[in-house]
Amino acid sequence: MILVSKKSSYIPKRALLPALTFLTAVIFVGLTPHEALCTRRPVVKPAQSLSSGAVPLKLITRAKRRLRKKSTLSLYRSSAGSPAVLVASFKSPRRKVRFTDKTASSGTYTYWSVLTVKSKKLTSRAVTVTVIPGGSQPEIPAGPGLDVTLKAGQSECPAGSREQVLNDINSIRSSYGLRQLTFETRVNLAARAHAIWMADTGQMVHDGWFDRLIQTGWWGSHASQNIARYISAENVVAAWMTSEGHRNNILDSRDIHIGIGCVISSSGVIYWAVSQTAP
């Protein structure tokens, strides 16, 4: 039985910046020199999951408090063949604004925000979200270079294996009074890619796990990973709980999402990669 845990920790924002898709350069918009240094493009991010008939978004103004008091943050939406519409407007917004667009039906939508400060406008980069019919999850493609296709000779784990592990983890968390974790599309993609890579190389290491997570478009304040091999779905969580590092990851009170990758190598060895994340 082999287990490896990756110590969980807060991820410094500076570590995330190179992988995120928004500009980090200062944008000068005719403000005073001091104000220009603290005013940059706003950011719009899709939330980690979609609830039926709604698109949750996170808007970040990236402006100092005294400037936000004089500003207006506007959220726009467009879709193929349709003109842009104003979805919401916030006067004197907080630095981070969470908003759920409940007017979007199934389809693909583009969102962006405009921060108006002293008659000057800063426009965020656009983000695209696909709402599947009646769906509960956005359709998120694998990121560039993220391989989620089984290699020659590899096979999927038995049906229900991932759900078994999720249920076991949530049962333990519940006994400690912690919130239940739910599957998240991006985190699942990254976990699957890592399990495929381990099964292909025969290595059981954390190398590249966070890069794979970032490639999916995930963002957040915290992430951790547990990995294992040679252990069945019925026993892997119990095995992790005997190790302090793995147990701490499973019982992290910050986490709300989980991704589980399970792949059987060409030699018949089962590989597990489980990531837990917090927004």
Side-chain angles (χ1 to χ4, degrees), residues 48 69 83 106 124 126 128 157 186 209 212 228 238 244:
Q48 299 298 315
K69 289 183 177 180
S106 61
S124 72
T128 300
C157 292
R186 296 173 179 85
W209 78 277
R212 294 181 179 90
E244 181 179 2

Side-chain angles (χ1 to χ4, degrees), residues 20-23 42-47 50 55-60 75-79 99 101 107-113 123-131 138-139 186 217 219:
L20 298 180
T21 58
F22 55 81
L23 294 179
V43 177
V44 177
K45 298 179 179 179
L50 290 178
V55 179
L57 298 164
K58 184 177 182 180
L59 289 66
I60 305 176
L75 176 66
Y76 294 88
R77 182 191 72 216
S78 67
S79 58
F99 176 78
D101 181 12
T108 299
Y109 299 92
T110 299
Y111 293 88
W112 68 95
S113 66
T123 303
S124 72
R125 290 192 175 188
V127 296
T128 300
V129 175
T130 298
V131 182
E139 187 178 281
R186 296 173 179 85
W219 54 272

Side-chain angles (χ1 to χ4, degrees), residues 84-126:
V85 296
L86 176 65
V87 179
S89 183
F90 309 90
K91 291 185 177 181
S92 303
R94 294 176 178 271
R95 182 176 178 276
K96 296 181 181 180
V97 178
R98 293 185 181 273
F99 176 78
T100 300
D101 181 12
K102 298 182 179 180
T103 63
S105 56
S106 61
T108 299
Y109 299 92
T110 299
Y111 293 88
W112 68 95
S113 66
V114 177
L115 181 66
T116 303
V117 184
K118 292 186 176 181
S119 77
K120 304 297 182 180
K121 297 181 183 294
L122 292 168
T123 303
S124 72
R125 290 192 175 188

Side-chain angles (χ1 to χ4, degrees), residues 14 42 82 121 134 153 170 198 200 206 221 252 275:
R14 61 178 179 275
S82 300
K121 297 181 183 294
N170 276 336
M198 289 194 299
D200 184 48
H206 294 284
S221 62
D252 198 305
S275 293

Side-chain angles (χ1 to χ4, degrees), residues 235-249:
N235 299 316
V236 68
V237 176
W240 278 327
M241 288 298 291
T242 64
S243 161
E244 181 179 2
H246 297 89
R247 183 171 62 251
N248 290 342
N249 286 347

Side-chain angles (χ1 to χ4, degrees), residues 3-232:
L3 304 169
V4 178
S5 69
K6 182 68 174 179
K7 181 176 177 59
S8 62
S9 62
Y10 281 105
I11 302 166
K13 290 184 179 179
R14 61 178 179 275
L16 291 178
L17 288 178
L20 298 180
T21 58
F22 55 81
L23 294 179
T24 59
V26 174
I27 309 295
F28 290 89
V29 291
L31 304 178
T32 66
H34 181 74
E35 290 175 328
L37 290 174
C38 58
T39 305
R40 296 180 288 178
R41 289 178 184 268
V43 177
V44 177
K45 298 179 179 179
Q48 299 298 315
S49 61
L50 290 178
S51 57
S52 181
V55 179
L57 298 164
K58 184 177 182 180
L59 289 66
I60 305 176
T61 60
R62 305 179 80 198
K64 292 292 185 180
R65 183 176 180 181
R66 70 173 181 281
L67 292 179
R68 296 200 305 272
K69 289 183 177 180
K70 310 170 188 176
S71 68
T72 301
L73 183 64
S74 303
L75 176 66
Y76 294 88
R77 182 191 72 216
S78 67
S79 58
S82 300
V85 296
L86 176 65
V87 179
S89 183
F90 309 90
K91 291 185 177 181
S92 303
R94 294 176 178 271
R95 182 176 178 276
K96 296 181 181 180
V97 178
R98 293 185 181 273
F99 176 78
T100 300
D101 181 12
K102 298 182 179 180
T103 63
S105 56
S106 61
T108 299
Y109 299 92
T110 299
Y111 293 88
W112 68 95
S113 66
V114 177
L115 181 66
T116 303
V117 184
K118 292 186 176 181
S119 77
K120 304 297 182 180
K121 297 181 183 294
L122 292 168
T123 303
S124 72
R125 290 192 175 188
V127 296
T128 300
V129 175
T130 298
V131 182
I132 59 178
S136 58
Q137 291 290 342
E139 187 178 281
I140 304 170
L146 191 64
D147 190 355
V148 293
T149 304
L150 292 179
K151 303 294 185 181
Q154 293 180 351
S155 59
E156 304 285 358
C157 292
S161 295
R162 296 168 63 251
E163 290 74 14
Q164 171 79 54
V165 170
L166 174 62
N167 290 338
D168 288 350
I169 288 176
N170 276 336
S171 177
I172 291 170
R173 287 176 63 89
S174 179
S175 68
Y176 282 83
L178 301 173
R179 75 183 83 188
Q180 302 289 279
L181 303 178
T182 58
F183 280 130
E184 198 283 315
T185 306
R186 296 173 179 85
V187 188
N188 268 327
L189 282 173
R192 175 177 172 82
H194 194 80
I196 290 172
W197 175 80
M198 289 194 299
D200 184 48
T201 62
Q203 302 180 68
M204 194 183 68
V205 293
H206 294 284
D207 294 3
W209 78 277
F210 187 68
D211 290 337
R212 294 181 179 90
L213 190 56
I214 289 297
Q215 285 178 355
T216 67
W218 174 86
W219 54 272
S221 62
H222 168 262
S224 63
Q225 186 193 58
N226 285 341
I227 56 178
R229 63 182 172 187
Y230 297 117
I231 310 175
S232 67

